[in-house]
């Protein structure tokens, strides 16, 4: 028999327990929705992980139990993305924002030069951070179209002596997404924070991929880095250990205490993705979710999305109302209908529906129904 955890105090009548609570449709850009099945499993294992009588949060990261959790998560991620042994998979802290610094510190080399493509707010932040460390050539930018397009690769002015080419495949704020993988003989570096695991990906095209977890991987606090092994070990002597990919790779991402609980939850999400049918299945569902939402926006005559059609994000769908004085009413009504976190990023306003893997198609249907109803009443 496994030892049973002691009973929790009975909830008072006003306490909403997980069983009777109605979960909302959560369109948050990040930290974002997690699969309900994953949360339920985590809840069931919270006090007593697999009969060990303690929570994952309370385990040593060096314990057999946790090492197994960590290794299984890595194995499942490798399987989902078909990652070859030529790549190391790291589970780090500091978010994607720390990768804006770690990438140049580790990959710029002695020439300290790299090419960046500017397609929106996250590109701008990556560029700004890289400039602290070396020379950034902005090889292309869509700033002149208010980031509503992706500059075609034949317009890019890539430099011969760049150590790598960095781009942002999905701009989370602008809802702008590349419909192609750039061609380059330099290591290609991608900030996949908001689109990783939304569909199959050919990892072999990349030198390095990074993604903060809180969009499509798991809870905030952990960052996945997938890096080709030959690119590891190029940081200079002055680079602090915690910012050196080599140190993390040599120590299995346990040079210091990793965010164990976030790692465990990410592992549960990977298992969930496999159970759904893997990334091919996710791609089918995600494409359908995005297409029906854009289709409705375009035909509504009331809502609009500014992004060029073939560069529209599958994950983040910004839209504006014909009359922005209705924004507050729209958001209030949405909240009343259980549709949460639809306000656009504070820098751009309007609305944004983030429809990551864990946002079910039924949530998108409910959103479209609400939007239709609202347009009818206010159009
Ligand atoms: C959210 C996001 C970031 C920032 O992630 P943090 O983990 O908060 O540092 C960077 N890039 C993209 C594309 C994002 O969506």
């Amino acid at each position: 028999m496994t030892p049973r955890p002691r009973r929790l105090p009975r909830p008072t009548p006003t306490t909403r327990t997980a069983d009777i609570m109605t979960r909302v449709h959560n369109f948050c850009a990040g930290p974002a929705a997690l699969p309900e099945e994953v949360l339920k499993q985590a809840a069931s294992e919270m006090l007593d992980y697999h009969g060990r009588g303690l929570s994952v949060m309370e385990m040593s990261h060096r314990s057999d139990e946790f090492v197994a959790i960590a290794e299984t998560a890595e194995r499942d991620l490798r399987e989902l993305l078909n990652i070859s042994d030529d790549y190391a998979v790291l589970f780090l802290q500091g978010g994607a924002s720390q990768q804006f610094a770690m990438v140049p510190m580790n990959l710029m080399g002695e020439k300290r030069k790299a090419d960046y493509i500017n397609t929106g707010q996250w590109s701008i932040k990556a560029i700004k951070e890289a400039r602290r460390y070396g020379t950034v050539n902005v090889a292309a930018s869509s700033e002149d179209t208010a980031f509503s397009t992706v500059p075609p690769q034949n317009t890019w002015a890539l430099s011969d002596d760049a150590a790598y080419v960095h781009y942002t495949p999905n701009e989370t704020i602008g809802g702008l997404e590349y419909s192609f993988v750039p061609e380059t003989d330099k290591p290609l570096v991608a900030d996949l924070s908001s689109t990783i695991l939304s569909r199959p990906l050919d990892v072999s095209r990349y030198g390095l991929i990074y993604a903060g977890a809180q969009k499509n991987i798991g809870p905030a606090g952990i960052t996945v880095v997938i890096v080709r092994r030959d690119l590891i070990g190029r940081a200079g002597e002055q680079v602090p250990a915690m910012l050196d990919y080599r140190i993390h790779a040599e120590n299995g991402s346990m040079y210091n205490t990793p965010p164990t609980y976030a790692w465990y939850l990410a592992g549960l999400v990977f298992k969930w993705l496999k159970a759904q049918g893997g990334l091919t299945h996710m791609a089918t569902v995600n494409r359908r979710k995005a297409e029906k939402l854009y289709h409705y926006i375009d035909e509504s005559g009331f809502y609009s999305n500014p992004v060029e059609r073939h560069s529209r994000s599958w994950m983040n769908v910004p839209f504006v109302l014909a009359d922005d004085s209705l924004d507050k009413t729209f958001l209030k009504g949405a909240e009343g209908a259980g549709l949460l976190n639809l306000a656009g990023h504070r820098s751009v306003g309007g609305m944004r529906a983030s429809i990551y893997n864990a946002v079910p198609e039924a949530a998108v249907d409910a959103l479209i129904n609400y939007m239709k109803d609202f347009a009818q009443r206010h159009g």
Side-chain angles (χ1 to χ4, degrees):
M1 281 291 287
T2 57
R4 302 297 309 166
R6 259 177 300 150
R7 288 184 73 85
L8 288 169
R10 278 181 70 84
T12 61
T14 54
T15 306
R16 304 210 306 170
T17 68
D19 287 351
I20 59 167
M21 176 150 64
T22 320
R23 281 176 53 77
V24 297
H25 293 308
N26 182 8
F27 299 96
C28 192
L34 285 163
E36 191 167 318
E37 293 92 327
V38 165
L39 295 174
K40 281 185 171 152
Q41 186 177 344
S44 77
E45 295 175 344
M46 174 64 77
L47 294 180
D48 175 14
Y49 179 76
H50 293 196
R52 311 295 162 115
L54 78 173
S55 169
V56 174
M57 267 184 270
E58 304 169 296
M59 287 175 186
S60 163
H61 56 295
R62 317 254 178 229
S63 65
D64 291 347
E65 287 91 344
F66 187 76
V67 169
I69 287 169
E71 287 177 354
T72 305
E74 179 177 336
R75 205 164 44 239
D76 287 338
L77 181 61
R78 283 183 179 277
E79 195 182 314
L80 283 164
L81 285 171
N82 199 13
I83 304 171
S84 84
D85 274 346
D86 297 340
Y87 291 79
V89 176
L90 309 177
F91 291 85
L92 307 180
Q93 304 194 41
S97 300
Q98 182 163 295
Q99 294 310 308
F100 294 164
M102 280 180 78
V103 164
M105 290 174 108
N106 282 267
L107 302 189
M108 265 194 179
E110 280 173 5
K111 287 200 188 112
R112 293 217 182 173
K113 185 170 178 193
D115 286 340
Y116 278 67
I117 313 302
N118 179 13
T119 47
Q121 300 313 316
W122 290 117
S123 302
I124 289 171
K125 286 203 166 163
I127 289 165
K128 199 171 163 201
E129 201 67 357
R131 282 204 165 123
R132 294 177 193 277
Y133 202 72
T135 307
V136 170
N137 169 46
V138 178
S141 168
S142 58
E143 198 158 8
D144 58 348
T145 66
F147 299 120
S148 62
T149 56
V150 170
Q153 185 165 356
N154 61 16
T155 66
W156 296 9
L158 297 171
S159 38
D160 293 332
D161 54 350
Y164 59 87
V165 178
H166 179 284
Y167 80 118
T168 312
N170 185 66
E171 288 280 357
T172 320
I173 295 171
L176 180 73
E177 179 163 344
Y178 285 66
S179 60
F180 60 94
V181 177
E183 298 279 349
T184 167
D185 55 358
K186 306 284 187 327
L188 184 61
V189 177
D191 173 2
L192 273 161
S193 293
S194 49
T195 189
I196 193 167
L197 299 173
S198 64
R199 76 205 82 178
L201 178 75
D202 182 359
V203 172
S204 72
R205 302 280 295 272
Y206 296 87
L208 187 147
I209 287 165
Y210 61 92
Q214 67 275 22
K215 278 76 183 237
N216 233 355
I217 295 176
I222 196 159
T223 307
V224 169
V225 176
I226 303 165
V227 52
R228 220 171 62 207
R229 292 191 199 275
D230 64 290
L231 298 174
I232 297 173
R234 299 182 179 193
E237 278 302 308
Q238 77 288 0
V239 170
M242 280 297 289
L243 301 178
D244 185 343
Y245 293 130
R246 184 175 63 83
I247 300 288
H248 292 292
E250 283 175 359
N251 290 281
S253 306
M254 295 198 197
Y255 172 70
N256 72 327
T257 315
T260 50
Y261 199 71
W263 196 334
Y264 152 77
L265 275 177
L268 294 185
V269 172
F270 301 152
K271 285 258 184 275
W272 178 82
L273 287 169
K274 284 172 66 180
Q276 301 303 298
L279 301 190
T280 311
H281 173 78
M282 295 320 294
T284 307
V285 178
N286 285 328
R287 176 194 286 277
R288 204 164 57 218
K289 281 155 55 184
E291 278 178 355
K292 64 166 79 162
L293 185 49
Y294 286 117
H295 178 78
Y296 171 65
I297 290 169
D298 289 343
E299 67 158 33
S300 70
F302 185 83
Y303 306 96
S304 61
N305 167 284
V307 178
E308 165 191 52
R309 280 175 195 238
H310 71 272
S311 304
R312 285 172 162 180
S313 167
W314 283 16
M315 296 283 105
N316 311 99
V317 182
F319 59 93
V320 294
L321 278 58
D323 172 4
D324 67 9
S325 72
L326 289 170
D327 283 5
K328 279 209 172 81
T329 317
F330 179 89
L331 287 168
K332 198 153 175 270
E335 209 164 303
L339 308 166
L340 258 63
N341 296 315
L342 285 164
H345 190 268
R346 54 190 150 67
S347 66
V348 293
M351 307 297 153
R352 173 178 50 171
S354 293
I355 49 175
Y356 300 116
N357 283 339
V359 176
E361 193 163 355
V364 176
D365 293 336
L367 172 61
I368 293 172
N369 283 337
Y370 171 74
M371 289 169 72
K372 279 184 183 161
D373 184 58
F374 187 89
Q376 231 153 46
R377 280 185 289 119
H378 298 274

